[in-house]
């Protein structure tokens, strides 16, 4: 009986082992492939990056994934994969001159490296053993420098997986550590210290203050024509003549009082500090509607963001209906039944409202644009159904119509989106300035650097690169490479690296928590603030967790972004994998960011996260930055004084993390 029982157990164990080792192929294009992409352009399954059949050297492949530019696909296999195979090469519609290299990297080891491949080369075969591999990266490296149509393919690509396992997204489970202390009960004023408006145009400025409610607001030396609501801190009205005023803002509650000087400049220049607020695209994309916009405005107040100076509620693409109304302008679609009422409500909260448009016939999401091939601007169903074919500026243009309608609604911000050319930018710039309202003018995307002087002349901000994705690679390209743009940013005109990729985002795949690690998120907010960049939250505000809310409500970090001098930081040096960014501030002090970028982009392995990265012990020599005196250093994230330093300062910087300091001369 005992022998029979033992044989039964052995047979059961053998069968279990055999079952566990059963394998099945998984085509790469049957996975939700966009969710695995950490590159910038989208990746597509079963087609090339343009949406056409996968084709390498004349051979068409029914399975595979088409990618564009440098492509990063990251998979968590956790030792549940047996192998990976593919045929790789440059797509027949791709660039005909640039060389491509393909890599398969497992747990930091290069398992496959292709030859240099060019257009017309036959596909190269990939076969790698993945037994025991936990983290896998598929990399296509191209030195494209912004060149379009650098298409390449992982054709007939498939995993052989063990049992019922599937590749998973790379885990992002690092501790969400909170550095910034909670605000005190006494008032602190956090709104910008300088504000610009044009003569005679409506004026809206909200005194942002933390502290226990109720807070009573007052102001001294406001210019004639402005009035302050003492309960809300909202300043409205208009000032007739060009002038400059030095006002004193006050906030008082039972725990104390705070004052702040506000310089009001009535003249030709608005946007004297970068805008900070929210944009709806990476939250809701095409599903945006009036209810969600109002919920976002309410959440900005209820979550306390308004108290820290967050101001704009910006509606992106997909609000547009057909032309009509008194100006024959773009009207809202059925998702926005009371557009003017919505705008008025948001203004009553002390917030501002932005919308989206384009000079093209159709927007990127396929809605009515600012031009048409029909005299009255109609957008028939035939165009909507073939929207991609109408992404160009039409024969008839309606900038003045649309700008007048925006002003009538009370719009404060316009995101103007297309592959930018100066003529369209100039027409809308003139229309906005003649509208009778101060409307912040932001052009998007990938503004050509060669035309930067035109963007300074015509707009309030310009997108310096492509649409951002929630990956370190995208953040690095969007922000860590902006030093050449720095001389052109300043009061009235700002370099814009795109929305913030914090919280729950929809960049390239269904809504999901950002793939940036907590350390990378601190770097993200720090560098955007040092760059004097617009700060536009790209996630549903009502879904903010405590960590993300803490990232967005550090008043000392925000003050660096909103500094009245408006001078973007410069990349002073790169030492031992640390980028050193230094920013001059209006009070004579400096803001400094020490970013541990490691060897990112220098090796194939550096494009991926392997879960064995370590902090870097770094010694900063202040004298190399031209800072030769003794200075008081303050950790702005912890809001903590570190003491006096001259010469050298030592810090441990997390991988892809930051140490952010304020440097004050004794």
């Amino acid at each position: 009986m005992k022998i029979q029982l033992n044989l039964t157990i052995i047979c059961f164990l053998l069968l279990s082992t055999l079952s566990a080792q059963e394998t099945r192929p998984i085509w790469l294009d049957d996975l939700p492939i966009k969710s695995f992409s950490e590159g910038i352009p989208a990746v597509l399954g079963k087609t090339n990056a343009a949406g056409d059949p996968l084709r390498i050297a004349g051979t068409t492949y029914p399975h595979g994934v088409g990618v564009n530019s440098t492509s990063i696909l990251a998979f968590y296999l956790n030792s549940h994969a047996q192998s990976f195979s593919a045929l790789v090469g440059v797509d027949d519609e791709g660039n005909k001159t640039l060389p491509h290299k393909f890599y398969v990297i497992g747990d930091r080891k290069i398992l496959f490296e292709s030859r240099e491949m060019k257009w017309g080369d036959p596909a190269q075969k990939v076969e790698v053993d993945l037994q025991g591999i936990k983290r896998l990266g598929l990399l296509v490296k191209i030195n494209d420098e912004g060149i379009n149509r650098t298409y390449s393919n992982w054709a007939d690509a498939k995993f052989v997986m063990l049992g019922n396992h599937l590749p998973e997204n790379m885990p992002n489970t690092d501790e969400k550590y909170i550095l910034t202390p909670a605000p005190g009960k006494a008032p602190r004023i956090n709104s910008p210290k300088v504000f610009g408006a044009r003569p005679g145009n409506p004026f809206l400025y909200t005194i942002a203050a933390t502290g226990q409610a109720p807070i009573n607001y007052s102001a001294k030396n406001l210019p004639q024509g402005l009035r302050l609501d003492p309960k809300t801190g909202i300043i409205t009205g208009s000032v007739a003549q060009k002038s400059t005023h030095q006002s004193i803002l006050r906030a008082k509650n039972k725990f104390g009082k705070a004052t702040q000087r506000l310089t009001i400049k009535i003249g030709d220049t608005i946007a004297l500090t970068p805008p900070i607020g929210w944009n709806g695209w990476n939250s809701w994309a095409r599903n945006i509607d009036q209810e969600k916009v109002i919920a976002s405005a309410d959440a900005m107040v209820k979550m306390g963001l308004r108290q820290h100076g967050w101001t704009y509620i910006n509606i992106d693409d997909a609000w547009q209906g057909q032309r009509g109304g008194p100006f024959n302008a773009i009207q809202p679609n059925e998702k926005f039944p009371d557009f003017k009422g919505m705008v008025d409500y948001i203004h009553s909260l002390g917030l501002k409202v932005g919308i989206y448009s384009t000079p093209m016939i159709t927007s990127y999401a396929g809605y009515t644009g600012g031009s048409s091939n029909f005299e009255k601007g109609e957008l028939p169903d035939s165009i909507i159904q073939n929207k991609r074919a109408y992404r160009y500026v039409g024969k008839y243009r309606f900038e003045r119509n649309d700008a007048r309608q925006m002003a009538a609604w009370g719009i404060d911000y316009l995101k103007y989106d297309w592959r930018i050319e100066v003529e369209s930018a100039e027409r809308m710039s003139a229309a906005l300035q003649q509208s009778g309202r101060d409307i912040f003018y932001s052009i998007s995307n990938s503004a050509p650097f060669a035309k930067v002087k035109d963007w300074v002349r015509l707009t309030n901000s310009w997108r310096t690169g492509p649409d951002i994705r929630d990956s370190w690679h995208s953040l690095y390209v969007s922000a860590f490479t902006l030093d050449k743009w720095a001389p052109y940013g300043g009061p009235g005109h700002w370099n814009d690296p795109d929305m913030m990729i914090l919280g729950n985002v929809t960049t390239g795949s269904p809504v999901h928590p950002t793939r940036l690690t907590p350390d990378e998120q601190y770097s993200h907010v720090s560098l955007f603030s040092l760059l004097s960049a617009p700060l536009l939250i790209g996630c549903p505000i009502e879904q903010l967790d405590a960590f993300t809310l803490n990232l967005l409500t550090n008043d000392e970090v925000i003050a660096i972004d909103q500094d009245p001098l408006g001078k973007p930081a410069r990349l002073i040096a790169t030492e031992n994998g640390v980028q050193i960014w230094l920013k001059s501030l209006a009070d004579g002090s400096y803001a400094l960011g020490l970013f541990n970028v490691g060897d990112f982009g220098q090796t194939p392995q550096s494009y991926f996260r392997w879960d064995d990265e370590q902090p870097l012990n770094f010694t900063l020599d202040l004298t190399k930055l031209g800072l030769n005196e003794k200075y008081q250093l303050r950790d702005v994230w912890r809001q903590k004084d570190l003491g006096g330093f001259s010469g050298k300062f030592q810090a441990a910087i997390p991988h892809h993390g930051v140490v952010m300091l304020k440097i004050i001369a004794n």
Side-chain angles (χ1 to χ4, degrees), residues 77-82 106-107 129-135 162:
L77 302 177
N78 199 23
S79 302
H80 294 144
Q82 184 180 76
D107 296 341
D129 183 353
L130 298 181
Q131 294 184 74
I133 296 295
K134 293 185 175 181
R135 293 174 180 242
L162 301 176

Side-chain angles (χ1 to χ4, degrees), residues 151-335:
Y151 304 153
S152 51
N153 301 325
W154 296 89
D156 281 354
K158 66 175 181 289
F159 290 104
V160 175
M161 302 297 298
L162 301 176
N164 292 320
H165 294 287
L166 289 172
E168 299 176 6
N169 294 117
M170 206 69 82
N172 186 6
T173 56
D174 292 357
E175 178 189 0
K176 292 184 174 182
Y177 56 98
I178 289 177
L179 297 181
T180 303
K185 294 182 178 180
R188 172 193 165 112
I189 296 176
N190 304 309
S191 40
K193 296 179 181 179
V194 60
F195 186 80
R198 296 190 180 101
N201 285 0
F203 186 105
L204 176 59
Y205 177 97
T206 301
I207 303 174
T210 51
Q212 185 167 306
I215 296 177
N216 185 267
Y217 300 92
S218 61
K220 183 180 179 181
N221 298 332
L222 281 181
Q224 185 176 357
L226 299 186
R227 56 191 175 273
L228 166 66
D229 185 325
K231 293 184 178 180
T232 64
I234 300 173
I235 302 172
T236 56
S238 66
V239 182
Q241 303 296 326
K242 288 186 177 182
S243 52
T244 299
H245 305 265
Q246 300 295 334
S247 302
I248 303 296
L249 307 179
R250 298 189 178 100
K252 182 179 179 180
N253 67 7
K254 66 180 181 180
F255 295 100
K257 59 184 178 181
T259 62
Q260 178 175 289
R261 183 179 298 274
L262 171 64
T263 301
I264 298 175
K265 296 184 178 183
I266 306 300
D268 297 324
T269 305
I270 63 171
L272 299 182
T273 59
I276 66 173
W278 173 84
N279 179 285
W281 184 257
N282 284 351
S283 300
W284 305 112
R286 293 170 177 82
N287 295 321
I288 193 71
D289 58 35
Q290 182 171 309
E291 184 178 353
K292 292 182 177 71
V293 173
I294 291 174
S296 300
D298 287 338
M300 187 169 280
V301 176
K302 292 175 183 177
M303 300 291 279
L305 289 165
R306 185 185 61 179
Q307 295 173 275
H308 298 272
W310 296 88
T311 301
Y312 287 91
I313 298 293
N314 291 348
I315 306 164
D316 211 285
D317 204 352
W319 68 271
Q320 311 95 308
Q322 294 284 351
R323 290 195 169 275
F327 308 108
N328 190 33
I330 302 172
Q331 299 299 299
N333 58 38
E334 67 281 355
K335 296 187 295 180

Side-chain angles (χ1 to χ4, degrees), residues 300-526:
M300 187 169 280
V301 176
K302 292 175 183 177
M303 300 291 279
L305 289 165
R306 185 185 61 179
Q307 295 173 275
H308 298 272
W310 296 88
T311 301
Y312 287 91
I313 298 293
N314 291 348
I315 306 164
D316 211 285
D317 204 352
W319 68 271
Q320 311 95 308
Q322 294 284 351
R323 290 195 169 275
F327 308 108
N328 190 33
I330 302 172
Q331 299 299 299
N333 58 38
E334 67 281 355
K335 296 187 295 180
F336 293 85
D338 185 7
F339 205 85
K340 182 65 165 66
M342 175 190 69
V343 172
D344 289 345
Y345 173 73
I346 295 171
H347 283 163
S348 75
L349 301 177
L351 303 175
K352 297 185 177 183
V353 184
I355 59 172
Y356 170 105
S357 193
T358 172
M360 300 186 298
I361 294 174
T362 62
S363 71
Y364 282 101
Y367 292 82
T368 304
S371 66
S372 176
N373 288 333
F374 298 96
E375 186 175 2
K376 293 184 179 180
E378 302 95 327
L379 191 71
D381 289 343
S382 59
I383 290 179
I384 295 173
Q385 293 165 4
N386 192 25
K387 60 187 179 183
R388 286 180 178 268
Y390 291 90
R391 290 178 180 172
Y392 63 87
V393 178
K395 178 181 178 181
Y396 300 97
R397 298 182 293 269
F398 300 91
E399 291 91 355
R400 290 187 179 182
N401 310 63
D402 293 339
R404 291 173 68 192
Q405 180 67 81
M406 292 176 207
W409 282 331
I411 295 301
D412 305 290
Y413 185 114
L414 170 64
K415 176 182 176 180
Y416 212 42
D417 189 22
W418 85 114
R419 295 295 177 188
I420 300 166
E421 36 88 12
V422 173
E423 291 78 10
S424 290
E426 192 155 23
R427 287 193 300 270
M428 181 53 82
S429 178
L432 293 174
Q433 292 190 47
Q434 295 165 10
S435 71
R437 186 172 184 85
D438 293 346
I439 300 177
F440 186 98
Y441 182 29
S442 168
I443 57 172
S444 171
N445 58 42
S446 298
F449 181 72
K451 301 289 186 181
V452 67
K453 293 182 180 179
D454 288 310
W455 315 140
V456 172
R457 175 175 62 90
L458 297 172
T459 76
N460 299 121
S461 72
W462 49 87
R463 280 274 305 281
T464 52
D467 290 345
I468 200 168
R469 299 286 186 263
D470 58 313
S471 70
W472 176 256
H473 172 68
S474 183
L475 176 62
Y476 188 90
V477 170
S478 295
F480 285 91
T481 60
L482 289 194
D483 186 60
K484 71 177 183 179
W485 293 86
Y488 302 98
H493 43 271
W494 307 101
N495 298 308
D496 178 10
D498 202 7
M499 289 171 277
M500 306 180 79
I501 39 175
L502 307 169
N504 295 329
V505 295
T506 61
T507 55
S509 59
V511 63
H512 59 277
T514 180
R515 289 176 294 180
L516 295 184
T517 67
D519 293 325
E520 290 169 348
Q521 293 179 64
Y522 275 106
S523 289
H524 178 10
V525 180
S526 299

